[in-house]
Amino acid sequence: QLQASGGGFMYPGGSLRLSCATSGFPFSSYAIGWFRQAPGKGRAFVAAISWSGSKTFFADSVKGRTTVSRDDGRSTAYLQMNGLRSEDSAVYYCAASSDLTAISTGYQYTRSELYDYWGQGTLVTVSS
């Protein structure tokens, strides 16, 4: 299971820190991805971190203002995003993949079909 949390109402320019708590699978062996879905749009890749934590990947829209991290001891991953914009409003999902490795390409990390488990999502609303 994965459970994303930390969403809510935020102001433009603010920051968010989402958590993805997991259980039921060997977290340290899984890559973690973050996706988001805005109203009326499809699910889009946001960021990902390899199982070892040695590699991270970001969508162009969030690059430079986003970090992704993991705490294997807590089986939890985190997404930190700064400089929030209205277009960041969406339901944010975390997902876990056993297929993605350190030699997988950045493009592969963006592929939602390569993730085995998905959380229920947390809503982020950015508005003034």
Side-chain angles (χ1 to χ4, degrees), residues 26-94:
F27 177 80
S28 62
S29 300
Y30 280 67
I32 299 296
W34 289 91
F35 293 77
R36 66 187 181 185
Q37 186 166 17
K41 296 188 177 181
R43 190 170 295 183
F45 172 77
V46 177
I49 184 167
S50 64
W51 66 266
S52 66
S54 63
K55 290 191 174 183
T56 55
F57 305 91
F58 301 94
D60 288 344
S61 59
V62 304
K63 196 173 296 182
R65 59 189 183 96
T66 300
T67 59
V68 59
S69 59
R70 62 188 298 150
D71 183 341
D72 287 355
R74 297 178 183 271
S75 297
T76 300
Y78 305 95
L79 180 75
Q80 173 84 32
M81 190 179 296
N82 304 316
L84 290 173
R85 308 164 182 169
S86 58
E87 53 263 40
D88 293 320
S89 297
V91 177
Y92 284 71
Y93 300 89
C94 57

Side-chain angles (χ1 to χ4, degrees), residues 6-12 123-128:
F9 182 88
M10 297 162 197
Y11 290 105
L123 176 63
V124 173
T125 302
V126 182
S127 176
S128 56

